Amino acid sequence: MPGKKMAKACMKCKQRKKKCSGALPCEYCVKINQPQDCEYQSRVKSKKAKVTERYISTLKSRIRELETERAKSSVDDRISSQEKVGASDVNPLIEPEYGFELHYKDEASSAKSKDGRSAIHYLGMSACAQFLIKLKESLSSPSGYPLAEHSSTATATALTPGDIPIDRHYIKSIRKEILPDVPDAEGLIDIASRIIGADYMFIESNYVENIVLTMIYKTPVPHDSKGLIKYTNELLRLLSHLALGSLFDKANPKSKSLGLKYHETTISLYGHIVNILDQAASGSLVQSLLYMAYFALSQDKTTFAFITVGSAIRTMFTLGFHKNAQSRSENRIFWLCFIYDRLLSVRFGFPLMIDENDINVPLFNEGDDSLTTISLDVYHFVSQVRLAKITTQIITKIYTQNPFSFLHNCHAVLKELKYWFDSLPNELKFDYDDIETGMIRATFNLHINYNYSIMISTRPVLLFVFRTILKASDKEAKLFEKRQFELILVLLESCIQAAEIQSRILTKLYYDGKMANCSFLDCHYIFSATIILILAGFCQMLSKKHVLYLGDVESLFEAIEHNLKILQGLSEYNAAARNFNHQLTEFIDLMSSEEVVGILKKDKSQKQNTSLLFQRKLTSPQPASLDKAPRSNEPIFDFEELGFVDLSHILNNMGDEVRSGSALDIFLNDAFQENSCEDLEREI
């Protein structure tokens, strides 16, 4: 991958005391097939100035004097003011009572939103516990000086020594009968880490050694309540890792049933933990719930996934990770919850559970001014979080009713996405025209999610054009105003190109054997891209006044056919793929039906070869540039009459089932990695 070299050696090369190439990943980490573990650490100059204790003491004394004077002056002013108006209008729970700031205040509470309105920052002061704290402050500190800061999180009820909240024998039976051997467990954790990666999973660098081996396998199940709760939590997290690893384990023919077994055990184990949730709430429990939701998505269990992610987020709120993450792990767990929240909200139309105005923690690795970690894992995760933040704008600007033009809102979000793409580290970029085979899956995931974000930001424009064309009469001179059409062209080009690039990347992953057969996300990305490609071709066939698609229509329909074949092949392993394939098949049948053809074209006998309608190919697969001059609203080609595109041949060519011995069978069996791409393409 391109990118400037680091000034120091990576951690692995330091440990082996060998020269490092300085790249990310370095040559040695690539050689041992561990590019994701290549990590650099560098010290950053501290921003804190060194001062003497005497100087600090002098400042504190002066501050106390000024606060006393200000408090006295403020009280006098307040009394004078109250004499005039009769009473104070200050809310003592959330506003300063004596003119100086409360002990808890976040800068975001007084920040302004982008539309000029004050950003509402909810501090949680409505809690009765907080009200009681304020009462105590009033009694203990009548002068107005705040007491020591108290946590708003309710403390767990202490357990009596003889109280055992979890059945220890049940935990022992899981450890004895369910857990695999140590090598198998390590292998499944590694598979889950490589397939899901930093995008939707966080595995500490010392997790296997300190937690899995030392705590779970080598240490007996604890007898005391506190130790048993912690052991159960970590056992649940391990089982959630094993379930995901089994889900994506292509080498084991029994992996699917094994994954379901682990997943069912996690649900059962969580049922035991629910009874003592006040004591069991922890970062490990939050992670387990997120991974259980990821597994449920792959089984096309959307409702279960949403409820489970909601439980994880509420547990995280209870722990206070959104206000004050005490460690890097807590910080990472919070932002994982944020990513999952945006993942489900934008894909299924669910409401957001995390309001960005209520976030009081920095993005991972940005709050540390002493030690900066540089690795592909950090790059991927930070980039995914920033992309998830743009998802908030997609939902609020495009998929929420507002008084602004939706076309301009789409354009504004598209510019944000373009800025995100331009800001990516060089190590995470690649040429869409020449996709390399050796990149790790997490890098592909990043670009897949990026192109998906472009599609969902611009596809309302495609639907708008489609509906406008359907309603227009043959005698109308033009469908859109000039300025409107110029903006529509930019948005449509970005939408269709993103769908084509998405199809190209997923096809590459499929042929290289890197597509997760049982993944919900991969199938969903194929599904969303195919819808856009079908609708784009359909709109162009209906339009007689404008060229809406500038690419080669043959390649467009080839991409549609290829996407459908991949979905059909994955349907054998994936419930979500079967669902998506069924929906697309019904859609194509509807668009190719005689009823629709009769409505959209009076003379059904006039059908032209679509390859003759468009001669201009896409010159660049990158998303449309927003800086280039807008195009004219005049059609590039003058068509007297366009034929109707018949999509039924795609389904006829595919057949109801994948033929035995076809290339798709080879891709989906265990030996597909032994075949070269060239051999497979010849068989197709």
Side-chain angles (χ1 to χ4, degrees):
M1 290 182 191
K4 63 180 182 179
K5 293 185 177 181
M6 305 296 174
K8 297 182 179 181
C10 73
M11 300 305 295
K12 286 187 177 295
C13 290
K14 278 185 179 180
Q15 292 174 359
R16 67 190 188 100
K17 297 181 180 180
K18 298 291 185 180
K19 185 177 180 180
C20 181
S21 66
L24 182 61
C26 71
E27 293 178 359
Y28 176 73
C29 291
V30 172
K31 182 178 179 181
I32 62 175
N33 197 26
Q34 295 181 3
Q36 67 277 7
D37 295 331
C38 185
E39 183 177 284
Y40 293 83
Q41 288 188 348
S42 60
R43 292 283 174 181
V44 179
K45 292 182 179 180
S46 176
K47 299 177 182 178
K48 299 177 181 178
K50 294 182 179 180
V51 295
T52 62
E53 279 189 31
R54 182 178 178 182
Y55 179 72
I56 294 176
S57 177
T58 303
L59 289 178
K60 288 182 177 179
S61 299
R62 181 57 181 159
I63 289 172
R64 283 193 294 268
E65 292 175 2
L66 293 173
E67 285 179 343
T68 302
E69 293 176 4
R70 184 180 180 185
K72 182 179 178 181
S73 175
S74 178
V75 170
D76 293 340
D77 293 341
R78 187 65 57 85
I79 292 175
S80 176
S81 175
Q82 289 180 4
E83 288 176 352
K84 295 179 180 179
V85 299
S88 172
D89 60 352
V90 174
N91 186 340
L93 281 172
I94 60 175
E95 295 180 276
E97 185 178 358
Y98 292 101
F100 52 86
E101 296 181 350
L102 293 171
H103 62 279
Y104 176 81
K105 182 174 180 179
D106 179 33
E107 294 179 358
S109 61
S110 60
K112 294 288 184 179
S113 60
K114 291 185 177 181
D115 58 4
R117 295 175 295 179
S118 297
I120 301 174
H121 188 78
Y122 182 62
L123 301 178
M125 303 303 292
S126 61
C128 293
Q130 286 290 353
F131 184 74
L132 181 59
I133 289 174
K134 289 300 175 184
L135 283 176
K136 292 179 179 179
E137 286 181 357
S138 301
L139 295 173
S140 303
S141 182
S143 62
Y145 287 100
L147 301 176
E149 184 173 353
H150 297 272
S151 172
S152 61
T153 304
T155 55
T157 305
L159 296 172
T160 60
D163 186 9
I164 304 296
I166 298 178
D167 186 352
R168 184 172 179 272
H169 296 289
Y170 174 67
I171 303 302
K172 289 180 66 177
S173 66
I174 292 178
R175 171 174 170 169
K176 181 179 179 180
E177 300 172 8
I178 304 297
L179 289 185
D181 295 335
V182 171
D184 294 336
E186 290 180 315
L188 292 176
I189 293 173
D190 181 65
I191 291 173
S193 177
R194 283 189 286 105
I195 297 297
I196 300 175
D199 308 335
Y200 306 107
M201 177 175 282
F202 170 50
I203 299 179
E204 305 93 319
S205 58
N206 57 355
Y207 170 72
V208 173
E209 180 179 353
N210 293 352
I211 302 298
V212 176
L213 299 181
T214 303
M215 181 177 179
I216 302 297
Y217 279 90
K218 296 181 180 179
T219 304
V221 178
H223 290 271
D224 63 291
S225 298
K226 186 176 180 180
L228 183 60
I229 291 174
K230 184 176 181 181
Y231 186 94
T232 304
N233 257 335
E234 293 300 341
L235 180 62
L236 175 61
R237 180 158 66 133
L238 173 60
L239 287 168
S240 67
H241 289 160
L242 298 179
L244 290 174
S246 300
L247 185 68
F248 303 120
D249 184 8
K250 298 180 180 179
N252 185 358
K254 299 180 180 180
S255 61
K256 184 176 181 180
S257 59
L258 191 59
L260 289 172
K261 180 180 179 181
Y262 290 137
H263 181 62
E264 291 171 357
T265 307
T266 62
I267 296 175
S268 174
L269 194 55
Y270 179 67
H272 286 71
I273 292 178
V274 166
N275 296 325
I276 46 125
L277 199 56
D278 286 347
Q279 292 81 31
S282 65
S284 294
L285 180 60
V286 173
Q287 291 182 73
S288 301
L289 290 169
L290 294 178
Y291 307 151
M292 290 164 62
Y294 195 103
F295 188 98
L297 273 181
S298 298
Q299 303 303 308
D300 210 21
K301 306 294 184 183
T302 306
T303 303
F304 180 89
F306 181 63
I307 293 173
T308 308
V309 170
S311 299
I313 291 175
R314 281 159 177 76
T315 304
M316 178 272 297
F317 281 150
T318 303
L319 296 170
F321 290 177
H322 66 300
K323 294 196 299 184
N324 186 23
Q326 299 291 336
S327 65
R328 285 179 172 233
S329 295
E330 292 182 0
N331 186 295
R332 183 77 173 254
I333 292 170
F334 166 75
W335 288 111
L336 266 180
C337 290
F338 183 82
I339 289 176
Y340 272 83
D341 181 29
R342 270 46 183 174
L343 164 73
L344 291 177
S345 296
V346 76
R347 285 163 179 79
F348 301 107
F350 295 146
L352 295 173
M353 290 180 276
I354 300 178
D355 188 343
E356 289 194 37
N357 291 325
D358 297 331
I359 297 175
N360 194 36
V361 293
L363 180 55
F364 174 71
N365 216 49
E366 288 184 350
D368 193 343
D369 61 354
S370 61
L371 185 65
T372 299
T373 301
I374 301 173
S375 67
L376 289 177
D377 177 82
V378 172
Y379 280 166
H380 286 134
F381 185 71
V382 171
S383 298
Q384 286 284 13
V385 170
R386 289 172 177 161
L387 194 57
K389 286 187 174 184
I390 299 179
T391 301
T392 307
Q393 298 186 43
I394 295 174
I395 294 173
T396 55
K397 289 184 177 180
I398 300 175
Y399 293 97
T400 303
Q401 288 184 349
N402 58 72
F404 303 101
S405 166
F406 94 96
L407 290 176
H408 287 85
N409 283 343
C410 293
H411 188 261
V413 173
L414 191 61
K415 288 198 294 186
E416 289 288 332
L417 289 167
K418 182 179 183 296
Y419 175 77
W420 175 92
F421 182 83
D422 293 339
S423 302
L424 274 181
N426 290 333
E427 289 80 5
L428 302 186
K429 293 182 178 179
F430 62 87
D431 186 1
Y432 289 151
D433 279 328
D434 185 19
I435 304 176
E436 298 178 4
T437 302
M439 288 185 298
I440 61 176
R441 179 60 204 265
T443 302
F444 284 113
N445 290 346
L446 197 62
H447 289 266
I448 291 172
N449 201 3
Y450 164 63
N451 283 285
Y452 175 77
S453 299
I454 292 177
M455 287 187 290
I456 60 174
S457 300
T458 55
R459 68 185 179 191
V461 182
L462 185 59
L463 180 60
F464 171 69
V465 171
F466 175 66
R467 297 178 67 175
T468 303
I469 294 174
L470 287 181
K471 294 178 182 178
S473 64
D474 293 338
K475 297 181 180 179
E476 286 187 285
K478 58 182 180 180
L479 302 178
F480 311 101
E481 296 295 331
K482 180 178 179 180
R483 293 183 60 184
Q484 184 186 48
F485 184 63
E486 291 170 351
L487 183 57
I488 286 175
L489 284 180
V490 173
L491 296 171
L492 283 181
E493 186 177 6
S494 297
C495 183
I496 300 170
Q497 285 185 355
E500 287 190 310
I501 293 170
Q502 190 83 303
S503 302
R504 195 181 310 164
I505 294 175
L506 291 165
T507 300
K508 176 68 174 176
L509 289 174
Y510 187 75
Y511 283 116
D512 287 351
K514 291 185 177 180
M515 179 173 286
N517 290 347
C518 296
S519 170
F520 164 84
L521 290 178
D522 282 358
C523 297
H524 182 73
Y525 290 134
I526 297 174
F527 175 66
S528 59
T530 308
I531 292 177
I532 288 175
L533 294 176
I534 293 174
L535 189 55
F538 198 80
C539 286
Q540 186 59 77
M541 297 302 102
L542 296 177
S543 176
K544 297 183 179 181
K545 300 297 179 183
H546 303 290
V547 174
L548 304 177
Y549 174 64
L550 302 179
D552 180 5
V553 75
E554 284 295 331
S555 64
L556 184 149
F557 287 108
E558 285 177 5
I560 295 173
E561 185 173 354
H562 215 78
N563 288 349
L564 289 172
K565 284 186 176 181
I566 293 176
L567 270 182
Q568 191 176 46
L570 294 177
S571 296
E572 180 182 350
Y573 306 85
N574 196 318
R578 287 195 295 272
N579 180 24
F580 294 144
N581 185 60
H582 177 70
Q583 293 184 55
L584 288 174
T585 301
E586 286 187 339
F587 180 46
I588 293 175
D589 279 336
L590 174 64
M591 295 177 68
S592 302
S593 63
E594 293 184 359
E595 292 80 6
V596 174
V597 173
I599 294 174
L600 298 178
K601 187 167 182 61
K602 296 179 180 179
D603 186 3
K604 292 180 286 185
S605 63
Q606 295 182 0
K607 293 185 179 181
Q608 301 179 16
N609 187 345
T610 55
S611 63
L612 299 178
L613 298 180
F614 308 101
Q615 302 297 328
R616 180 175 177 180
K617 296 179 181 291
L618 290 174
T619 57
S620 172
Q622 296 288 351
S625 173
L626 304 179
D627 302 324
K628 62 184 180 181
R631 292 170 293 186
S632 168
N633 65 326
E634 294 298 326
I636 298 176
F637 300 101
D638 185 15
F639 304 118
E640 294 182 358
E641 188 172 9
L642 295 181
F644 178 74
V645 57
D646 184 6
L647 299 175
S648 60
H649 71 282
I650 294 179
L651 299 180
N652 294 335
N653 292 340
M654 289 174 57
D656 295 331
E657 296 181 357
V658 181
R659 296 184 300 276
S660 177
S662 68
L664 290 175
D665 285 332
I666 299 176
F667 289 133
L668 300 175
N669 65 28
D670 297 333
F672 75 94
Q673 293 180 343
E674 300 176 3
N675 296 274
S676 65
C677 293
E678 292 78 12
D679 293 337
L680 297 176
E681 290 174 356
R682 282 196 295 270
E683 292 193 42
I684 292 179

